[in-house]
């Protein structure tokens, strides 16, 4: 793998995380548990779509094959996506949606904070801009973790189930592959092993405040960063890409 | 769930130097959630830099039935408006 390929894949991974989670959250549009949360969660979806757009514009530039951000988002198949498995997991109910969001936000916050120091000034600028949004996302999802975990017996039980079920997808967030190693050496990427301890600390802190048990399982799912996805991604892409596939180059 | 959440009145300060202005209401379980909901519902388009929330039940309103006795007496007291001064031309922004 060349440095340029690794660079492209690194940016795509960030863009795919934002795009797929944004798409997932958009499914709540018009279905939120209350109007205020419907707006809040789709606001976060829009933030993520905006981040995905900047990242994919940059990816298109790095790729240098004349594609634009729409083609990168809508014309790749599942195995070309580099998002982590966590973000493609289904919404299920509010407990799952919030837990998935919290697990991702806690990582994304420390990741973006570190990425502002990247030697790639374009990526550092994107990180700087996104960090404000991500900081709010983490605050929002943390509040809901605490509110529902430390809420009624039923809300506690539902949250604990979501926390336990999604736990096995958290390992991949700070797992590193060849791309990470090359990006760290080039001064572009973030050392995820340094993020891991911050991540563990944050999840413990919030889960404790939410009176929930921190899962102790150590076996973790992996694959998304290398293009091996759960069956869910195909369904997401079918929804998301339908218009461009059925009516190529359509605009509105 | 929603039937248990009280209603909150939301006030937004659009910029420094201006006062908070009532913008609407929303449902929330407590004051903290009301602020966050207000952030998402009422400040999405750069409307504000500060939010106040007040639970609606704490607002006491004047009764429309009393509007005549409360407000009409001011109708014929034009002298209460500062419109009877001769202002020098140099004074701007009045």
């Amino acid at each position: 793998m060349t440095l340029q390929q690794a660079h492209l894949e690194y940016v795509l991974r960030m863009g795919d995380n934002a795009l797929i989670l944004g798409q997932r959250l958009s499914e709540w549009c018009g279905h939120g548990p209350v109007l205020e949360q419907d707006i809040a969660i789709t606001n976060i979806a829009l933030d993520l779509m905006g981040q995905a757009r900047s990242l994919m514009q940059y990816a298109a530039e790095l790729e240098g094959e004349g594609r634009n951000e729409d083609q990168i988002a809508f014309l790749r198949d599942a195995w070309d996506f580099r998002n982590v498995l966590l973000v493609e997991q289904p919404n299920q109910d509010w407990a799952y949606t919030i837990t998935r969001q919290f697990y991702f936000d806690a990582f994304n916050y420390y990741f973006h904070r570190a990425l502002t120091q990247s030697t790639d000034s374009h990526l550092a600028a994107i990180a700087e801009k996104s960090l404000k949004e991500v900081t709010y996302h983490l605050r929002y999802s943390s509040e809901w973790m605490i509110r529902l975990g430390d809420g009624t017996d039923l809300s506690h039980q539902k949250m604990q189930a979501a926390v336990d079920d999604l736990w096995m997808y958290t390992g991949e967030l700070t797992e590193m592959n060849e791309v990470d190693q090359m990006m760290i050496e080039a001064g572009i990427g973030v050392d995820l092993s340094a993020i891991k301890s911050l991540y563990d600390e944050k999840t413990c802190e919030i889960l404790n405040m939410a009176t929930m048990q921190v899962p102790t399982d150590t076996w973790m799912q992996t694959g998304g960063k290398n293009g091996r996805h759960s069956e869910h991604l195909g369904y997401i892409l079918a929804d998301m890409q339908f218009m461009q596939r059925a009516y190529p180059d359509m605009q509105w | 769930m929603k039937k248990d959440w009280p209603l909150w009145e939301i006030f937004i300060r659009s910029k420094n130097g201006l006062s908070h202005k009532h913008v609407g209401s929303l449902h929330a379980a407590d004051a903290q959630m009301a602020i966050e909901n207000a952030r998402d519902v009422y400040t999405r388009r750069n409307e504000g830099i500060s939010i106040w929330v007040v639970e609606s039940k704490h607002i006491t309103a004047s009764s429309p039935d009393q509007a005549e006795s409360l407000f009409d007496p001011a109708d014929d007291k034009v002298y209460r408006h500062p419109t009877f001064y001769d202002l020098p031309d140099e004074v701007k922004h009045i």
Side-chain angles (χ1 to χ4, degrees), chain A:
Chain A
M1 183 180 282
T2 66
L3 187 64
Q4 197 207 350
Q5 285 167 331
H7 197 177
L8 173 62
E9 190 156 327
Y10 201 73
V11 175
L12 275 179
R13 184 200 289 171
M14 288 175 64
D16 289 343
N17 278 342
L19 179 68
I20 299 301
L21 186 55
Q23 176 72 16
R24 266 290 185 231
L25 293 180
S26 311
E27 292 171 19
W28 275 108
C29 190
H31 301 276
V34 290
L35 178 140
E36 291 82 1
Q37 297 320 319
D38 192 295
I39 295 176
I41 206 77
T42 43
N43 263 351
I44 294 178
L46 278 177
D47 285 349
L48 291 168
M49 287 297 178
Q51 294 171 14
R53 184 168 200 191
S54 319
L55 289 160
M56 286 181 181
Q57 280 170 343
Y58 186 38
E61 196 183 311
L62 290 172
E63 189 183 54
E65 287 177 14
R67 293 206 288 182
N68 63 25
E69 73 269 26
D70 286 333
Q71 290 161 330
I72 288 183
F74 296 126
L75 299 179
R76 283 179 305 146
D77 211 337
W79 46 79
D80 296 322
F81 276 73
R82 290 292 178 268
N83 58 277
V84 292
L85 298 172
L86 177 68
V87 297
E88 66 199 41
Q89 298 310 306
N91 288 340
Q92 308 268 27
D93 58 12
W94 192 248
Y96 271 80
T97 298
I98 287 299
T99 302
R100 182 186 63 202
Q101 195 62 34
F102 170 70
Y103 279 160
F104 183 73
D105 291 342
F107 162 76
N108 216 26
Y109 170 73
Y110 293 114
F111 176 76
H112 275 79
R113 210 176 59 171
L115 195 65
T116 57
Q117 306 302 315
S118 173
T119 56
D120 176 347
S121 58
H122 194 123
L123 207 49
I126 292 177
E128 182 100 31
K129 181 168 179 286
S130 304
L131 183 60
K132 285 183 193 168
E133 295 171 342
V134 173
T135 303
Y136 184 77
H137 300 169
L138 177 59
R139 176 180 149 170
Y140 174 86
S141 54
S142 301
E143 286 275 339
W144 274 101
M145 291 296 285
I146 297 165
R147 193 177 287 284
L148 293 176
D150 190 16
T152 64
D153 286 346
L154 181 63
S155 74
H156 177 88
Q157 188 190 323
K158 286 187 163 193
M159 287 303 287
Q160 187 68 56
V163 161
D164 293 347
D165 280 3
L166 291 170
W167 179 251
M168 64 178 167
Y169 298 105
T170 57
E172 193 187 13
L173 291 165
T174 51
E175 181 191 275
M176 294 200 279
N177 63 14
E178 190 191 353
V179 172
D180 292 275
Q181 296 300 346
M182 290 175 76
M183 286 299 96
I184 293 170
E185 280 164 30
I188 297 170
V190 173
D191 184 355
L192 298 183
S193 58
I195 303 289
K196 189 177 185 330
S197 53
L198 294 166
Y199 182 79
D200 290 345
E201 217 171 281
K202 187 70 184 176
T203 44
C204 278
E205 177 202 330
I206 299 296
L207 290 179
N208 283 335
M209 281 170 82
T211 71
M212 289 192 281
Q213 298 292 322
V214 181
T216 50
D217 290 352
T218 51
W219 185 80
M220 292 288 174
Q221 287 277 7
T222 179
K225 286 181 180 179
N226 296 311
R228 294 191 311 278
H229 292 277
S230 61
E231 74 276 23
H232 303 300
L233 184 63
Y235 290 97
I236 297 175
L237 297 188
D239 258 356
M240 189 178 80
Q241 297 183 334
F242 172 78
M243 293 302 272
Q244 276 302 317
R245 299 287 193 182
Y247 305 95
D249 301 325
M250 77 161 302
Q251 297 192 346
W252 71 76

